[in-house]
């Protein structure tokens, strides 16, 4: 049974229907990748799941029971990093724990561990402005991981770093995930990233957007750089690309007319 | 320019102003008009005099008390105005209007409420410094980036976490800017109140010495007031360096 299921989700901003009739499930220890064109409502959907904004229609079911209110034990990694500039790396990583009511001793013990885990050891006392984009993103990741969530919502976490750093971070995240596998919804623009990370890739498109197709990614784990070179990876990438491009080509055609 | 040279240039600038003053005072003014040599002559004795010491203590303590009250009230009102639309609508017009209003106009009213006592000075100082602080903090609270609030909500923040954990620290640079404005206004308020209600203090000392033609002594007290303003400015600069290291002025606050 899927751990978390979303049925018939829809979100409207006044006249604008962002998405509609969205069904999606995430199993225990499953990574679901969500791809779709810019503006199709990926961030909006994660915000709904995190309880930051209400859904207009649909329901969320956790372990078989519909819930109202925000999902329990959920942490989100933001597209915009979301670091508090007046807090150091240590303070930012501790923030989620602190608000979750963790004791001082617990915070002292766990924070260094997660700073280490994301490779920010030595930067504990740095302020966000002193960090590179990639380091800021890791700091946001450490904050989310530190509360040991059952569901991780990742909003294009690696979108604003260079290609090499991005690749490093992808494999780092997979490594961290293997140590403590949680359910994860991983939003991305990048088709390659979606296929590399996901057990399934859910392709959103249309206006309002909905699920165009769910692609099972039958690549073995652990996934490594070798995975990127495998023929099956290329096949899956092409497949997802075709689903997405279908619409883009149509848009192009309409532009030219 | 090397730092040492920069200091020398500053000193040279100050000395030429003093020299010009001395020459003009000697050439054209009556003997009782303050001049650098005269001020220097009376300086040690005036600074040590009981009247000046007492006046300084009284005025500065009054200003400090008033500033503390204004910072607490102004921060509270500013946060409320900046984060609750209703409070903004209720108070916005009045806070902005009263900020621009010359406080001297309200002094006669304050004397009726508080009498010809030091309470009037305290009220004037609070009145003068409350508005710039409240206005600045309200600006700061209004411009808290939505991302910070979103992160806090995602971590299941309760209202007090949002207020004291996000809105207040994010508004700190605005608060300090407000305090800087407020210090000048508070000093003016205290001195004017002392002139007006004749309560003891540095301002009253200046008034009394001027009327009895001790202009050099009066000027020493003026210098003391200036020194206090500079000291508070230095304190704020220190606080900024200590607690606002994270703040990059002029940069996108992200
Ligand atoms: N608060 C809001 N009020 C009104 N419209 C909004 C709001 N937030 C988002 N939208 C609209 O909803 C749509 C989806 O936005 P969203 O940020 O979810 O897209 P996205 O898929 O995350 O895009 P990207 O890949 O560029 O991050 C956009 O058309 C946007 O204009
Ligand atoms: Mg987005």
């Amino acid at each position: 049974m899927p751990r978390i299921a979303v049925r018939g989700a829809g979100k409207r901003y006044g006249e604008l229907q962002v998405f509609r009739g969205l069904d999606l499930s995430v199993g225990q220890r499953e990574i679901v990748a969500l791809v779709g064109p810019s503006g199709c409502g990926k961030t909006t959907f994660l915000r709904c799941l995190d309880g930051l904004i209400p859904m207009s229609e649909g329901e969320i079911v956790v372990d078989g029971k519909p819930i109202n209110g925000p999902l329990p034990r959920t942490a989100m990694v933001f597209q915009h990093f979301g670091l508090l500039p007046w807090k150091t790396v240590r303070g930012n990583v501790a923030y989620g724990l602190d608000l979750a009511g963790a004791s001082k001793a617990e915070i002292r013990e766990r924070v260094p561990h997660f700073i280490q885990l994301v490779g920010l050891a030595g930067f504990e006392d740095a302020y966000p402005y002193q960090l590179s984009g990639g380091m800021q993103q890791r700091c946001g990741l450490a904050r989310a991981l530190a509360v040991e969530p059952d569901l991780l919502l990742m909003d294009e976490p690696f979108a604003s770093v260079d290609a090499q750093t991005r690749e490093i971070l992808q494999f780092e995240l997979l490594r961290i995930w293997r140590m403590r596998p949680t359910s994860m919804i991983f939003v991305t623009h990048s088709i390659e990233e979606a296929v590399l990370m996901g057990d399934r890739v859910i392709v959103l498109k249309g206006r309002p957007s909905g699920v165009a197709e769910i692609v099972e990614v039958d690549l073995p784990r652990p996934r490594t750089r070798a995975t990127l070179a495998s023929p099956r990876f290329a096949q899956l990438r092409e497949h997802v690309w075709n689903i997405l491009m279908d619409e883009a080509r149509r848009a192009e055609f309409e532009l030219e007319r | 320019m090397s730092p040492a040279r920069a200091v020398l240039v500053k000193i040279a600038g100050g000395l030429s102003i003093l020299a010009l003053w001395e020459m003009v005072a000697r050439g054209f003014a009556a003997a009782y008009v303050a001049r650098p040599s005269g001020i220097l002559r009376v300086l040690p004795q005036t600074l040590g005099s009981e009247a000046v010491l007492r006046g300084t203590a009284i005025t500065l303590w009054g200003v400090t008390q008033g500033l503390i009250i204004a910072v607490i009230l102004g921060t509270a009102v500013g946060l409320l105005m900046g984060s609750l639309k209703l409070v903004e609508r209720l108070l916005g017009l009045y806070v902005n209007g009263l900020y621009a209003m010359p406080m001297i106009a309200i002094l006669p009213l304050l004397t009726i409420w508080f009498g010809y006592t030091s309470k009037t000075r305290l009220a004037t100082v609070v009145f003068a410094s409350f508005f710039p602080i409240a206005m600045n903090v309200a600006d700061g609270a209004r411009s808290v980036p939505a991302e910070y609030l979103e992160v806090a909500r995602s971590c299941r923040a309760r209202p007090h976490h949002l207020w004291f954990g996000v809105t207040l620290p994010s508004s700190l640079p605005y608060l300090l800017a407000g305090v800087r404005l407020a210090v000048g206004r508070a000093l003016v308020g205290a001195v004017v109140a002392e002139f007006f209600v004749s309560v003891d203090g540095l301002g009253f000392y200046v008034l009394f010495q001027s009327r009895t033609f001790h202009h050099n002594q009066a000027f020493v007290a003026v210098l003391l007031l200036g020194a206090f303003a500079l000291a508070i400015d230095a304190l704020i600069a220190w606080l900024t360096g200590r607690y606002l290291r994270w703040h990059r002025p002029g940069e996108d606050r992200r």
Side-chain angles (χ1 to χ4, degrees):
Chain A
M1 186 174 64
R3 214 180 76 73
I4 295 159
V6 184
R7 297 198 194 118
K11 178 67 191 176
R12 235 177 309 105
Y13 281 119
E15 292 286 281
L16 176 73
Q17 179 89 40
V18 182
F19 53 83
R20 175 192 285 159
L22 219 124
D23 293 323
L24 176 148
S25 66
V26 194
Q28 194 116 34
R29 302 164 169 234
E30 188 187 22
I31 301 180
V32 171
L34 208 58
V35 285
S38 184
C40 76
K42 304 180 293 296
T43 299
T44 304
F45 181 60
L46 288 194
R47 284 207 179 108
C48 290
L49 288 182
D50 199 24
L52 296 171
I53 50 173
M55 287 197 311
S56 309
E57 61 238 33
E59 63 168 357
I60 302 175
V61 182
V62 179
D63 298 327
K65 286 185 284 290
I67 63 157
N68 28 21
L71 280 172
R73 302 195 52 82
T74 300
M76 184 148 164
V77 175
F78 291 89
Q79 199 169 357
H80 54 64
F81 310 146
L83 300 182
L84 302 177
W86 54 88
K87 286 182 183 289
T88 58
V89 166
R90 186 183 286 122
N92 271 293
V93 175
Y95 187 69
L97 279 171
D98 189 22
L99 260 58
S103 71
K104 284 234 160 59
E106 214 174 329
I107 290 175
R108 249 200 318 274
E109 184 194 307
R110 276 160 78 170
V111 165
H113 169 71
F114 284 96
I115 289 178
Q116 177 91 38
L117 196 67
V118 298
L120 281 179
F123 289 91
E124 289 84 355
D125 295 315
Y127 286 95
Y129 77 87
Q130 296 167 311
L131 303 178
S132 72
M135 291 158 90
Q136 294 187 32
Q137 193 55 268
R138 288 169 202 227
C139 185
L141 181 62
R143 173 177 60 203
L145 292 172
V147 298
E148 309 210 312
D150 291 341
L151 175 65
L152 255 180
L153 302 172
M154 309 274 274
D155 192 7
E156 303 194 31
F158 309 139
S160 44
V161 297
D162 65 85
Q164 289 81 12
T165 311
R166 181 181 192 135
E167 203 165 280
I168 293 167
L169 289 176
Q170 286 167 348
F171 291 113
E172 278 294 288
L173 179 64
L174 286 173
R175 180 181 64 83
I176 292 167
W177 178 82
R178 277 203 306 281
M179 290 170 13
R180 186 177 176 279
T182 56
S183 309
M184 191 190 303
I185 299 181
F186 191 102
V187 163
T188 173
H189 264 140
S190 153
I191 296 170
E192 303 214 345
E193 189 169 73
V195 175
L196 176 68
M197 304 298 292
D199 294 302
R200 286 182 294 150
V201 175
I202 298 187
V203 185
L204 296 181
K205 63 186 225 189
R207 204 156 266 279
S209 59
V211 177
E213 197 172 321
I214 299 179
V215 181
E216 294 284 340
V217 181
D218 47 10
L219 296 165
R221 286 190 191 272
R223 296 186 188 155
T224 59
R225 293 206 67 222
T227 312
L228 293 172
S230 73
R232 182 65 187 145
F233 180 84
Q235 251 172 13
L236 286 164
R237 188 188 58 202
E238 284 311 294
H239 181 65
V240 175
W241 196 80
N242 281 326
I243 306 168
L244 278 169
M245 279 320 267
D246 184 32
E247 184 185 39
R249 250 189 252 121
R250 221 178 318 143
E252 197 177 40
F253 180 65
E254 274 168 14
L255 267 181
E256 275 171 11
R257 226 172 13 181
Chain B
M1 199 185 298
S2 72
R5 277 225 18 224
V7 170
L8 280 181
V9 167
K10 271 183 201 160
I11 291 175
L15 285 179
S16 25
I17 292 172
L18 290 180
L20 189 66
W21 175 6
E22 184 77 35
M23 281 186 323
V24 171
R26 284 198 182 185
F28 306 100
Y32 57 80
V33 170
R35 64 203 56 184
S37 61
I39 295 169
L40 204 63
R41 187 163 37 77
V42 302
L43 190 66
Q45 170 204 347
T46 310
L47 281 182
S49 78
E50 206 242 318
V52 168
L53 289 180
R54 200 184 57 236
T56 309
I58 291 174
T59 301
L60 298 195
W61 177 230
V63 168
T64 310
Q65 271 180 310
L67 278 174
I68 290 172
I69 296 173
V71 165
I72 293 169
L73 285 181
T75 306
V77 171
L79 283 181
L80 282 169
M81 272 175 59
S83 30
L84 300 176
K85 279 257 159 52
L86 178 69
V87 182
E88 169 77 43
R89 280 203 205 103
L90 281 173
L91 299 180
L93 176 66
Y94 305 104
V95 169
N96 289 307
L98 287 171
Y99 169 71
M101 194 194 73
M103 78 203 133
I104 299 175
I106 207 170
L107 202 51
L109 295 176
L110 292 179
T111 58
I112 291 170
W113 293 337
F114 296 101
Y116 282 78
T117 65
S118 61
K119 281 200 198 113
T120 300
R121 174 180 49 214
L122 184 63
T124 313
V125 170
V126 172
F127 192 83
S129 45
F130 167 81
F131 294 102
I133 294 174
M135 239 172 54
N136 267 281
V137 173
D139 272 348
R142 254 192 304 275
S143 49
V144 178
E147 291 97 42
Y148 304 166
L149 296 169
E150 183 174 60
V151 166
R153 289 209 185 88
S154 173
C155 293
R156 313 289 175 244
R158 286 195 291 275
H160 69 274
H161 291 130
L162 293 177
W163 282 64
F164 299 109
V166 180
T167 308
L168 183 59
S170 173
S171 312
L172 265 186
Y174 290 78
L175 171 62
L176 282 183
V179 172
R180 260 188 130 136
L181 282 177
V183 171
R185 291 170 60 107
L187 281 171
V188 172
V191 170
V192 169
E194 286 173 13
F195 285 178
F196 199 81
V197 302
S198 300
V199 289
D200 211 358
L202 266 189
F204 185 66
Y205 180 87
V206 170
L207 186 70
F208 185 80
Q209 299 297 333
S210 306
R211 289 197 174 151
T212 51
F213 298 100
H214 296 106
H215 287 198
N216 287 323
Q217 280 83 344
F219 221 91
V220 172
V222 172
L223 290 180
L224 276 174
L225 287 166
F228 183 65
L230 283 181
I232 295 236
D233 232 35
L235 176 71
I236 292 175
W238 180 80
L239 285 173
T240 308
R242 177 91 176 64
Y243 294 105
L244 288 180
R245 270 202 303 138
W246 55 270
H247 181 57
R248 309 270 95 188
E251 253 178 46
D252 172 22
R253 290 207 295 163
R254 224 182 65 165

